[in-house]
Amino acid sequence: MAIGKIPKILNGSIHYKDVAMKNLKLVAVACASLAIVGCGSGNASKEAGQPKRPECIAPAKPGGGFDMTCKLIQSGFKQTEVLKDPIRVTYMPGGVGAVAYNKIVNNDPANNNAVIAFSTGSLLNLAQGKFGSFTEKDVKWLSGVAVDYGLVAVHKDSPLKTLDDLMKALKKNPKVISFGGAGSVGGQDWMQTAILAKKAGVNPADMSFVALEGGGEVLTSLLGQHIQVGVGNVSEVGSHLEAGNIRILAVFSDKRLEGKFSQLPTAKEQGYDLEWPVIRGFYMGPKVSDEAYNWWKNAFDKMMADQKFDAVRENQDLLPFELSGEELAKYVYKQTEEMRQLSQEYKLSK
């Protein structure tokens, strides 16, 4: 039996039409009277600037840090109920964000529905001119939602027990120590290694660096003892720490982290002034409307103020970092300029 139709027997036959038409008229009246809150479409209730089909662009293949960043807000908006509509995640790999950056600036600058993930690695590539002619001034920086930190780790059976042991060994013979990191020469893992080498009085060109595909491959190589030192991020090592497979020589944060990472020593406390925060956040196209940009900014601010988002972020082993709008833009400009100077020092800029 069709829903909404009540059968009526007339002259031995069953008739639906009159009642069905009457019900359809009632539905039409109800829809008209409830238009202010919508009737099935959901569009009428949207706020000014609210996206029609919210999208998070991860500028990489599934499974990496950008994917994690998009999944973070996908879950965060759902748990906090700031955004009722689900956010779809789309993938646009290439150049640690270069392909996505070029597409948004060149071909899709007014996309009010899309936010694009970025990281410190993206800013480093911008600083080195790897995004073509575009700079950090060519997009609208939206929100930073979390921070990770760089680190160096060794296999549990390594003779290197402390960061000082590593630095002494590096100074003695830099070719003997094989570092493994995600990305190529000039990337953020290489850059952290280069800074360590410099602090040991070693020319970064003399060190042995194995470029690997990603954080997972770095850890696999470290566990297989194909490399002696792994360079990566705190969010990547949680399960291996719990299993006791690796030892962290130093975390590149300004002070000790909290929670399950509180026992990890920092480079600073061991006498080496090295910080490498890995910011995770989002930007939008340069020509998005003010209404859309403000809606997204307010939505991010509301989500980050909710304790439910703290739990979502913590579940991914990420730490709080909460800047949006103009404050984030200032931070990005400052960080990128510092990286530009660092890259020039190592002759990496184009």
Side-chain angles (χ1 to χ4, degrees):
M1 182 184 296
I3 295 173
K5 292 186 178 182
I6 302 174
K8 185 174 183 180
I9 300 176
L10 291 175
N11 298 323
S13 300
I14 299 177
H15 293 259
Y16 293 100
K17 184 176 180 181
D18 293 343
V19 176
M21 290 301 293
K22 189 178 293 183
N23 284 347
L24 285 173
K25 289 178 181 178
L26 287 173
V27 171
V29 171
C31 279
S33 63
L34 294 174
I36 191 168
V37 294
C39 185
S41 69
N43 288 332
S45 62
K46 290 188 182 297
E47 302 169 9
Q50 185 171 348
K52 294 178 181 178
R53 290 190 67 209
E55 174 187 16
C56 183
I57 297 175
K61 295 177 182 178
F66 288 133
D67 189 13
M68 177 182 70
T69 307
C70 279
K71 296 288 178 58
L72 176 68
I73 64 160
Q74 191 180 49
S75 180
F77 277 126
K78 181 179 179 181
Q79 293 297 323
T80 60
E81 298 184 344
V82 170
L83 178 58
K84 303 291 185 181
D85 298 332
I87 298 180
R88 62 193 176 104
V89 178
T90 56
Y91 301 94
M92 200 176 297
V96 195
V99 171
Y101 204 87
N102 277 262
K103 181 184 182 298
I104 288 297
V105 178
N106 259 336
N107 304 324
D108 204 11
N111 189 337
N112 293 331
N113 296 314
V115 297
I116 305 92
F118 80 91
S119 71
T120 298
S122 310
L123 304 185
L124 182 58
N125 274 8
L126 269 171
Q128 293 175 3
K130 294 180 180 178
F131 282 16
S133 61
F134 301 118
T135 73
E136 63 274 20
K137 303 289 180 70
D138 288 314
V139 298
K140 289 188 176 181
W141 300 99
L142 179 63
S143 182
V145 295
V147 64
D148 207 349
Y149 286 96
L151 55 74
V152 283
V154 295
H155 189 275
K156 65 176 182 178
D157 298 328
S158 171
L160 303 172
K161 304 297 183 184
T162 66
L163 181 60
D164 205 42
D165 289 343
L166 171 61
M167 300 298 269
K168 287 176 180 177
L170 190 62
K171 190 169 186 176
K172 185 177 181 180
N173 189 347
K175 294 290 186 183
V176 171
I177 305 296
S178 59
F179 289 87
S184 59
V185 171
Q188 63 176 343
D189 284 359
W190 182 90
M191 188 67 78
Q192 293 172 77
T193 312
I195 295 172
L196 269 180
K198 187 177 179 182
K199 290 188 178 298
V202 171
N203 185 338
D206 294 333
M207 68 183 183
S208 177
F209 181 83
V210 181
L212 299 165
E213 189 64 31
E217 192 171 323
V218 173
L219 286 165
T220 299
S221 297
L222 186 63
L223 293 174
Q225 296 183 289
H226 304 300
I227 56 174
Q228 290 169 280
V229 182
V231 186
N233 301 322
V234 171
S235 64
E236 299 168 336
V237 302
S239 61
H240 295 287
L241 273 177
E242 291 171 8
N245 296 325
I246 62 174
R247 179 166 57 252
I248 307 301
L249 297 184
V251 173
F252 302 144
S253 57
D254 60 338
K255 58 185 178 182
R256 284 214 178 192
L257 306 180
E258 298 178 356
K260 66 182 181 181
F261 299 118
S262 61
Q263 298 305 309
L264 304 182
T266 67
K268 272 194 168 183
E269 71 187 59
Q270 297 177 78
Y272 300 95
D273 189 10
L274 200 171
E275 291 181 41
W276 196 272
V278 182
I279 305 305
R280 304 200 179 276
F282 301 89
Y283 66 86
M284 296 186 76
K287 296 182 180 178
V288 298
S289 70
D290 289 343
E291 278 188 341
Y293 179 83
N294 290 331
W295 186 92
W296 277 107
K297 179 188 178 300
N298 291 335
F300 271 95
D301 288 343
K302 288 176 186 176
M303 178 185 70
M304 292 189 291
D306 194 313
Q307 290 183 346
K308 291 179 182 176
F309 180 67
D310 293 340
V312 172
R313 184 168 50 198
E314 185 177 338
N315 191 49
Q316 290 198 16
D317 288 340
L318 293 169
L319 298 155
F321 179 89
E322 298 173 358
L323 289 180
S324 62
E326 187 62 30
E327 286 186 339
L328 177 65
K330 289 178 180 178
Y331 177 88
V332 166
Y333 297 160
K334 182 175 181 292
Q335 288 291 105
T336 309
E337 183 54 35
E338 289 177 358
M339 289 178 179
R340 189 170 285 119
Q341 293 173 12
L342 196 60
S343 297
Q344 287 170 352
E345 181 181 337
Y346 292 122
K347 297 179 174 57
L348 297 168
S349 297
K350 289 185 177 181

